[in-house]
Amino acid sequence: MTTDHSTPAPTPTSNPTPASTAAHPRSTTAVPSPQPPLPASISSPSLSSSSSFTSPDPDPDPDSDPDPGPDPDPDLGLEPGLDPEPCLTLTSPTDILAAVPYLVGFHPKASLIVIGLDRRQAKVVARWGLPFPLGTLASLEPVFDREGVTEIVIVGYGPGELVTPAVDEARLLAAKAELHIGEALRTHEGRYWSYICDLATCCPAEGTPYDLTTSQIAAEATVRGLVALPDRESLERTIAPITGPVRMAMRRATADAITEFRADLTATTNLDTFATQFIAESVGRVRSALQTHEEGGRLDDAEAAKLGLALSLTRVRDEAWTLMQHSHVLLWKDLTRRLERRFVPPAASLLAMASWREGNNVQATIALERALTIDPSYSMANLLMHALQNLLSPTILRDRLPTPAELDAAMGPPHPSWLLPLVNLLDEDDPHSQPE
């Protein structure tokens, strides 16, 4: 399980640490932060560590590979029952620094990364933007306990005055939880410093230069299909609204779908019958869309637009929620990008749900940020954001989601009032005037 906590770019402190203090990370300083970080989250691959990071063996014995540990937890984004090898095996600080971007999906800046391991197998990967308020890491303690973490690796990105207070808090948390610290690093401008090594011959005060190209981690991660984007903004762009001719085509398709719905609603002589029929057709539309994507297809513009309208209805959206599978990520990601702005929150929330279930919590958070920017009161997005902010595991949903039949029993027969969320959206400004 990987968790990403993001903050806007920090404002320089009015009382900067002296240069001599900032150069070496072992000194403790206080960095004010008026705003708490916004948690996000991501998926982490299998990861194993050696017993020592600070003094790597230049010619490791091939027979001394670390024990890969137990079968990988499904929450890590790996299929249950798969052999945990190959995994990212870290034997030096350079390996750690090479692996982190693949663990979080992008190259961090002004960040604190905490990797929780058990028997040298990664269980938790969490990122916070820096600076953050004192006490921010407290939420990790129950997560470590839940995931059986016995060891942590800490990596801070940035100058000492920014990173050291966060690393100090992480080390205190480890001591309180009786966790072993495998390594605690700070990296800045091509050099790294260790917080747990006091040997000048190994960890000089001026830092140790490193070259990520000397590590095999990038090659191993690429083979496993992992990607490290340049920054978080690059990750955000992967679910950003589409533009150009594709946007114009979707805009026309959405206008046609709205016109058709309004005409059918105006022509009906029995609202109860209309609501029952529309809900039934919309639920069928969800199931058909899921099947299309599971078979490798993609909805055309007309079907995507009609599904976007349908998902504004709670019963229809919840049908997709109850049928949630990992393979649904591509569908909801596609719709999050293609739908007109006012119809995005349900699809983005479903994308967040599917991503969270896969362990891709950073993508989940970015999707929720998109949904809540459009509709800050959207309940599903707020509930999921609360779960991510509190580092809850998606395993809490196992065997707890209702079936479609249970939804019908709980909600009762369709009623015209069920259509109000869609009708209210139709009364908003014309989609041509909506900003992207």
Side-chain angles (χ1 to χ4, degrees):
M1 180 183 71
T2 311
T3 302
D4 167 63
H5 308 255
S6 302
T7 53
T11 301
T13 174
S14 57
N15 298 299
T17 305
S20 59
T21 303
H24 203 277
R26 294 185 181 87
S27 57
T28 302
T29 61
V31 180
S33 178
Q35 297 181 350
L38 174 64
S41 305
I42 1 181
S43 60
S44 64
S46 179
L47 165 71
S48 68
S49 68
S50 70
S51 59
S52 174
F53 295 109
T54 306
S55 302
D57 183 351
D59 185 20
D61 182 353
D63 296 327
S64 63
D65 288 344
D67 179 1
D71 288 342
D73 189 303
D75 292 345
L76 298 180
L78 300 176
E79 292 298 326
L82 288 181
D83 187 336
E85 297 289 355
C87 59
L88 304 183
T89 303
L90 311 184
T91 60
S92 70
T94 298
D95 284 348
I96 296 173
L97 297 173
V100 165
Y102 293 94
L103 296 177
V104 301
F106 57 92
H107 290 268
K109 299 174 183 176
S111 299
L112 179 76
I113 312 294
V114 177
I115 304 171
L117 305 105
D118 176 44
R119 285 175 284 186
R120 293 178 278 183
Q121 186 83 24
K123 309 295 287 185
V124 177
V125 181
R127 186 194 75 90
W128 287 263
L130 296 177
F132 56 59
L134 184 66
T136 293
L137 303 185
S139 59
L140 269 181
E141 189 170 359
V143 178
F144 288 156
D145 183 62
R146 183 186 73 216
E147 300 294 335
V149 170
T150 57
E151 178 181 3
I152 66 170
V153 172
I154 307 165
V155 184
Y157 288 78
E161 68 270 22
L162 182 68
V163 171
T164 297
V167 172
D168 286 346
E169 182 171 337
R171 296 175 71 186
L172 287 173
L173 175 66
K176 180 180 178 183
E178 298 182 345
L179 302 176
H180 173 67
I181 299 178
E183 183 57 282
L185 299 172
R186 177 175 73 86
T187 177
H188 187 55
E189 296 181 345
R191 292 177 177 265
Y192 69 77
W193 294 259
S194 173
Y195 288 85
I196 62 175
C197 175
D198 294 318
L199 299 176
T201 56
C202 176
C203 301
E206 67 273 16
T208 302
Y210 65 94
D211 181 1
L212 295 182
T213 63
T214 64
S215 172
Q216 293 298 311
I217 293 299
E220 292 177 16
T222 301
V223 167
R224 296 198 58 200
L226 301 176
V227 176
L229 297 175
D231 47 39
R232 192 176 188 270
E233 290 71 23
S234 299
L235 198 58
E236 292 171 0
R237 286 193 288 273
T238 65
I239 62 171
I242 56 173
T243 58
V246 179
R247 165 59 57 213
M248 297 306 298
M250 273 302 299
R251 189 158 285 167
R252 289 191 295 268
T254 302
D256 290 343
I258 290 173
T259 298
E260 180 180 340
F261 174 79
R262 280 178 165 156
D264 292 343
L265 182 61
T266 301
T268 188
T269 57
N270 188 318
L271 284 176
D272 289 298
T273 300
F274 177 82
T276 298
Q277 182 177 349
F278 187 79
I279 294 294
E281 291 176 352
S282 296
V283 166
R285 201 178 298 282
V286 168
R287 291 176 174 268
S288 176
L290 293 176
Q291 182 177 352
T292 295
H293 268 257
E294 286 170 0
E295 294 173 351
R298 184 172 184 261
L299 301 182
D300 61 30
D301 292 341
E303 281 300 314
K306 290 178 180 179
L307 182 57
L309 268 63
L311 289 171
S312 65
L313 308 181
T314 301
R315 175 61 185 85
V316 179
R317 182 206 64 195
D318 287 356
E319 180 79 8
W321 193 343
T322 62
L323 298 175
M324 186 67 67
Q325 300 293 337
H326 293 176
S327 61
H328 298 175
V329 168
L330 293 178
L331 170 61
W332 306 126
K333 187 174 185 177
D334 180 46
L335 288 180
T336 297
R337 301 199 68 194
R338 292 168 67 193
L339 293 179
E340 287 295 278
R341 187 174 187 271
R342 53 182 160 166
F343 297 108
V344 164
S349 298
L350 289 167
L351 169 60
M353 177 71 167
S355 300
W356 182 43
R357 286 173 62 94
E358 281 193 339
N360 192 343
N361 297 339
V362 167
Q363 181 167 275
T365 301
I366 292 172
L368 293 176
E369 290 171 351
R370 176 97 186 275
L372 292 172
T373 297
I374 297 169
D375 184 357
S377 65
Y378 196 68
S379 60
M380 181 180 178
N382 279 299
L383 286 171
L384 288 174
M385 185 64 86
H386 177 78
L388 292 172
Q389 288 174 337
N390 287 278
L391 304 178
L392 298 182
S393 169
T395 57
I396 63 174
L397 296 176
R398 285 180 182 166
D399 303 321
R400 294 187 179 182
L401 287 177
T403 65
E406 289 170 336
L407 279 179
D408 288 335
M411 297 185 68
H415 188 272
S417 62
W418 290 15
L419 304 178
L420 285 177
L422 174 55
V423 172
N424 291 338
L425 285 177
L426 302 186
D427 290 337
E428 290 186 1
D429 292 339
D430 184 89
H432 289 265
S433 66
Q434 293 291 326
E436 297 299 343

